[in-house]
Amino acid sequence: MMALAQPGAGLGYGLAAFLGALQGVAEFLPISSSGHLSLVEAWLGVDAEAAGHTFNIVVHAGTLLAVLTVYRRELLDLARGLVDPEAVPWARSLLATMVVGSLPLALVLIPAVEELIVRMEGEVRWIGGALLLTAALLGFTHRRTEQVPVDEPTQPPSLGRALLIGFAQLLAVAPGVSRSGSTIAAALALGMGRARAARFSFMLSIPAVAAATAKEALGLLTSDAPPSFEPGPFALGFALSFLVGLASLSLLLKLIERVGLLPFVPYLALIGGIAIALG
């Protein structure tokens, strides 16, 4: 039988496969991938300094690749529109809103904020509270937008709306607050249709996740004492986060258009309550 957690700090193939698949599901469904990864690693005793935090970066890169794959046509159109604005009229507007929506994340570069985020990854009760916050956001938004308008999915939001959605994305740096849930909920509350809100949420995730992954990877490469780990489990986690991410993203896009985000509220409330109770 494959070991889930290797003694001390490392990851076995079984745990790496489980966590990679978990990331692939939770990154796109509005239930917080970072919160779920941190809870599982805390409960199974995975050392965040030696393996857990580094592994989280790797599997987030896998789901980033899934977003790039699903939205490859939009990204190609975006690149084409920057060269020839008449070919893709919305390209420059979308790029501007992605830049504006990403600005609030600059606050994460403050050392004290970054240290707080890393510390929260091991605080089960904090994560539980953040999961309850996500449940509240989704429930409140559903009540406010039961009659969601149908609009053009490719139409970017205004710069003001993009900035507000960007602040919602900033909340998701805390483990337990769903990035997709908070940004889609904010977009819906601002009057955007479901398909349009989901599209902008995931397009906005591309620079955010890419920048965070590159920053952490650079930090590991330049560290005087980089964490030691076996590459095999990390490669497996990356592959599964990508493959499962493709499936879960396609599923979420269908669910949002048909039923919205309300079905995820009871699950988040349950897991958040368990996390707080078990501490």
Side-chain angles (χ1 to χ4, degrees):
M1 180 177 179
M2 284 188 296
L4 286 182
Q6 297 171 350
L11 293 170
Y13 281 93
L15 182 57
F18 172 71
L19 292 178
L22 178 62
Q23 165 67 16
V25 171
E27 174 67 17
F28 301 117
L29 302 186
I31 57 176
S32 177
S33 61
S34 60
H36 279 70
L37 288 173
S38 297
L39 285 178
V40 171
E41 289 165 2
W43 286 335
L44 294 181
V46 178
D47 189 332
E49 290 297 325
H53 186 59
T54 307
F55 184 80
N56 290 356
I57 298 167
V58 171
V59 293
H60 272 81
T63 47
L64 171 61
L65 182 59
V67 175
L68 295 176
T69 301
V70 170
Y71 286 100
R72 62 189 182 278
R73 291 183 180 177
E74 286 85 348
L75 292 171
L76 289 173
D77 284 342
L78 177 60
R80 186 160 58 94
L82 295 178
V83 176
D84 182 6
E86 294 184 0
V88 187
W90 50 261
R92 294 191 176 183
S93 295
L94 176 60
L95 180 62
T97 55
M98 290 172 65
V99 171
V100 170
S102 300
L103 291 178
L105 289 177
L107 295 175
V108 181
L109 299 177
I110 300 174
V113 176
E114 185 176 13
E115 292 173 7
L116 177 62
I117 295 168
V118 174
R119 188 164 71 248
M120 285 184 65
E121 290 181 350
E123 297 290 340
V124 172
R125 288 181 177 173
W126 287 16
I127 296 170
L131 290 170
L132 293 181
L133 174 60
T134 299
L137 287 172
L138 300 187
F140 174 76
T141 303
H142 184 83
R143 289 180 60 86
R144 291 287 301 273
T145 58
E146 291 182 347
Q147 299 298 325
V148 180
V150 177
D151 49 15
E152 175 54 51
T154 61
Q155 180 64 33
S158 67
L159 293 179
R161 286 180 175 180
L163 183 62
L164 292 174
I165 296 170
F167 277 109
Q169 180 170 246
L170 178 62
L171 292 175
V173 300
V177 179
S178 167
R179 197 213 63 80
S180 64
S182 60
T183 53
I184 293 174
L188 292 174
L190 291 169
M192 295 172 63
R194 291 176 178 176
R196 184 182 173 203
R199 178 181 181 272
F200 183 69
S201 169
F202 291 116
M203 293 296 285
L204 188 62
S205 76
I206 294 173
V209 178
T213 302
K215 178 180 178 296
E216 296 293 348
L218 182 61
L220 291 174
L221 293 174
T222 58
S223 174
D224 293 333
S228 59
F229 53 82
E230 294 184 15
F234 278 63
L236 178 62
F238 175 86
L240 282 176
S241 68
F242 167 66
L243 294 173
V244 176
L246 285 177
S248 62
L249 177 53
S250 299
L251 173 64
L252 178 64
L253 294 176
K254 294 178 181 178
L255 284 175
I256 286 177
E257 292 196 49
R258 293 179 182 177
V259 298
L261 301 175
L262 189 63
F264 299 100
V265 172
Y267 171 79
L268 286 166
L270 175 63
I271 298 300
I274 292 173
I276 292 174
L278 298 181

